[in-house]
Amino acid sequence: MDSQPYQLHIAFFPYMAHGHMIPTMDMARLFARHGVKATIITTPFNASLISKTIERDRQKGFEIGIQLINFASAETGLPEGCENARSIRTQEMAAKFFKAISLLQQPLEHVLKECHPNCLVADMMFPWATEVASKFGIPRLVFHGISTFSLCVYNSLRHYEPHKGLASDFEPFMVPGLPDQIKITRLQVPDYIKEKNKQTELTHRMSQSELTSYGVLLNSFYELEPAYLEHYRKVMGRKAWSIGPLSLCNNDREDKMQRGDTASISGHECLRWLDSKKPNSVLYICFGSMFKFSTPQLIELAMALESSGQNFIWVVKKKENGSTQEEWLPEGLEKRMEGKGLIIRGWAPQVLILDHEAIGGFMTHCGWNSTLEGVAAGVPMVTWPLFAEQFFNEKLVTGVLKVGVGVGAQEWSRFEKKILIKKEDIEKAVTRLMIGEEAQELRNKAKALKEMTRKVHGEGGSSQSDMIALLEELKTVKITMQN
């Protein structure tokens, strides 16, 4: 570790959603392993999701801890304990949640005043964090939990507005000014880009905050999207360090089992099931923690899985009322698929599963954490984007990296889909990914990406180099401030 006078103390402030909490925790652990004192600032419920992992790192001798702040659930009309975006079910709840997020500024200031960090790493969802850090005379780094590719696409859409004036929502158009020819439709563009709403205002503030911050941390690595990292730095003018994939800091079974939440299945049971399968013979299906599919869509997916004849692990959400009866499950499916299909209800140890040699494909919503975890495991993907920047990530996976096959998702929507993805289209994508020459080509490309990924945190690796360069720069800033 570094000598005490030059030890950096960095505070990490994650957005309260699993997809943001998990990589921020991994990032804080990575910094701690480089001799930094790391403090994660979060609310009681969210702290409970990461406390066991943090305690294990503390026992290994790393300086890492959690500082609690209160979340204004009651003041904003949210149910007690609603401190994570996973609890949001309606637009009304979303508005109240964002109001509660805005009220975190003062508690954050109080913590910074108490613990005196040398730097604040705050999620992109807190545009006001740049001002807060400035008040205490410390640099603020923005953490972007999305791909550099998506950041570039967002910037082009806002700058050029190519989606305006089209004859149809389904008409493909080119996103201008990018290193590759990227085509999407207006229906796949986020609603806050297509029309002005409260989130449009938030994204504008986020962009301004990014420009006035000290710089940006990216959960990616240079070799994965080199043209887009160059575009982000040189064309968009951002000061950025690419230090991912952050998930690779989980290198033992216990870390992988407990990452993010308590798994709904014993790791031993899951691995035992996978051990009984041939290499590359199982499709893993998971759509993250934020979206709820309609019953008709779940039925289409269930029928496609049965018809495809492939082994599968399918992660489904628990019913909110606690009932185990699932009307979407075709009668007798689990009995018929016994030994061939494993359904996990709740949270799954995703990194542990993806790393198993039996996994031959990953059906994913293209959230960036899941996409990176698939890349790091060398697993090709069936892409089924839903909302956020997921349609952009799909283009990266299928069009640029060429390690995926799409089901034909057309519609960006956070809460409800009007367009059903049919059984035949799902089955076709699964078959293309799992069987035949095309499947082998996709698998070979995915394995090559995995090999590339494994080198980035080693000596001389691109992410390791960016991390060391950043820490040296922050030490210089600290010494300058002390003098």
Side-chain angles (χ1 to χ4, degrees), residues 14-25 46 49 84-86 123-124 143-146 219 246 259-260 288-290 347 365 367-370 373 389:
Y15 180 64
M16 289 72 184
H18 279 69
H20 297 245
M21 289 288 306
I22 295 170
T24 303
M25 174 188 69
N46 291 292
L49 302 174
N84 189 286
R86 188 168 67 168
D123 194 280
M124 61 181 181
F143 174 57
H144 271 304
I146 64 176
N219 185 13
L246 297 170
R259 184 169 178 260
S289 59
M290 295 283 287
W347 191 266
H365 63 312
W368 186 237
N369 291 327
S370 290
E373 286 159 18
E389 87 292 358

Side-chain angles (χ1 to χ4, degrees), residues 293-343:
F293 276 118
S294 68
T295 294
Q297 186 61 83
L298 288 168
I299 291 170
E300 293 290 326
L301 175 50
M303 291 191 303
L305 290 175
E306 184 172 10
S307 182
S308 74
Q310 299 301 306
N311 296 315
F312 65 87
I313 294 180
W314 185 6
V315 183
V316 299
K317 296 185 82 165
K318 284 181 181 173
K319 286 182 75 70
E320 287 172 43
N321 61 10
S323 165
T324 55
Q325 186 179 350
E326 287 146 338
E327 65 277 9
W328 54 265
L329 206 57
E331 193 173 347
L333 175 72
E334 279 193 274
K335 183 102 178 135
R336 291 193 300 276
M337 300 305 291
E338 203 169 313
K340 201 167 184 66
L342 176 64
I343 296 178

